[in-house]
Amino acid sequence: MAEEEFKTYNGSCHCGNFSYTLTVPEIKRGERCNCSLCHRKGYFWFNVTPEQFKADEGTGELSSYQTSEGSSRHLFCATCGAGVMAKMPDESLMAVNLNTVKGLDRKSLEVKELDGASFGEPYKTFDVPTDTIDALDLPDYKTYTGHCHCGDVKVAFKSPDLYAPTTFVVSDNCSICAIHAYVIAYPERHHYQITGIENTTAYFMGDKYADRAAAACARQNPGVLPPEAEGVSDEFEGD
Ligand SMILES: [Zn+2]
Ligand SMILES: [Zn+2]
Ligand SMILES: [Zn+2]
């Protein structure tokens, strides 16, 4: 392909600690994967070669997480939790999270679905304690449970049926929610139970968003607040 057909894209994690430049043919589609890590992290993948990816000069380091030994390394910012990319074990191929690319109209991109959940060993989920919320007298509520990928942080909450049209479930387009592709439920105070809160780190987007601090597992940083209820979303305009 001729040199002039390549475009330059800039990307970064949310806090800007890590930034990069891509030189690739125009990005027209991305890939979503249903595996245990990708759906938690909200990854929207785009494959690049190591030559097409360049970390910006003076940029910070990323932390890494593997779902199993010998699997690809997922690289994320330890400050803001944004998953930036993944590298195959031999580093011959890498994938960038399009949620971190600036100025990209992600809704206009073609989406390819990957069935990563069917590859390799099935993911083993963890038991989630619900004793505190079980004691609540909420007969019409359902109990939802979830946890981060490594199991260090677990969350359980009581809520009206998340699939009911009257229940407020949000997929927000603000900068932090877009990077993590959060799907957010709003259990009332005292209707949730978090186990392993000491294993989380908090990230604040500034005073305006102090209420949106995301508690995330320190080991691989998926936000723990989104439940594992997929396909439940309403769009609303954030800022
Ligand atoms: Zn960051
Ligand atoms: Zn995946
Ligand atoms: Zn974890």
Side-chain angles (χ1 to χ4, degrees):
M1 198 173 277
E3 187 73 21
E4 59 267 26
E5 291 181 58
F6 280 66
K7 291 187 72 166
T8 299
Y9 295 91
N10 295 105
S12 73
C13 65
H14 191 270
C15 72
N17 185 45
F18 183 87
S19 65
Y20 63 88
T21 304
L22 292 182
T23 309
V24 291
E26 186 178 353
I27 297 172
K28 291 180 177 162
R29 75 169 187 181
E31 299 179 340
R32 290 201 188 279
C33 172
N34 63 359
C35 83
S36 55
L37 185 61
C38 293
H39 97 258
R40 281 178 167 76
K41 295 287 290 179
Y43 284 131
F44 191 22
W45 294 121
F46 183 74
N47 293 328
V48 298
T49 64
E51 296 73 38
Q52 293 170 331
F53 179 94
K54 202 170 170 299
D56 293 341
E57 212 159 306
T59 203
E61 295 285 314
L62 293 172
S63 299
S64 110
Y65 178 76
Q66 283 174 294
T67 56
S68 60
E69 219 174 302
S71 66
S72 53
R73 285 193 305 131
H74 292 257
L75 300 169
F76 66 93
C77 172
T79 301
C80 66
V84 177
M85 61 177 152
K87 284 183 177 178
M88 298 299 283
D90 64 359
E91 308 217 345
S92 62
L93 192 69
M94 50 199 285
V96 170
N97 183 3
L98 290 179
N99 295 342
T100 63
V101 173
K102 292 186 163 69
L104 196 63
D105 179 12
R106 285 181 291 274
K107 282 194 170 156
S108 72
L109 301 180
E110 186 191 325
V111 178
K112 184 183 173 196
E113 306 282 350
L114 296 177
D115 185 18
S118 324
F119 292 120
E121 286 287 299
Y123 175 65
K124 281 226 278 291
T125 56
F126 297 83
D127 290 334
V128 178
T130 58
D131 51 308
T132 306
I133 57 169
D134 284 345
L136 300 169
D137 184 26
L138 298 165
D140 297 334
Y141 279 38
K142 289 179 179 280
T143 300
Y144 294 93
T145 61
H147 51 75
C148 67
H149 192 272
C150 73
D152 278 0
V153 186
K154 297 162 181 162
V155 65
F157 66 92
K158 292 252 187 202
S159 165
D161 187 345
L162 291 177
Y163 290 89
T166 47
T167 308
F168 194 51
V169 177
V170 164
S171 170
D172 172 354
N173 67 356
C174 84
S175 56
I176 189 77
C177 290
I179 273 193
H180 293 279
Y182 282 144
V183 178
I184 302 176
Y186 292 87
E188 286 169 48
R189 272 187 92 178
H190 312 306
H191 290 181
Y192 61 85
Q193 174 175 1
I194 298 177
T195 306
I197 191 84
E198 67 281 4
N199 299 322
T200 64
T201 57
Y203 172 65
F204 295 89
M205 289 170 60
D207 292 347
K208 188 181 170 196
Y209 293 106
D211 61 322
R212 292 191 182 185
C217 168
R219 269 171 74 184
Q220 93 286 10
N221 272 278
V224 290
L225 297 180
E228 289 183 57
E230 291 169 80
V232 188
S233 86
D234 265 327
E235 302 278 331
F236 100 119
E237 296 292 308
D239 57 359

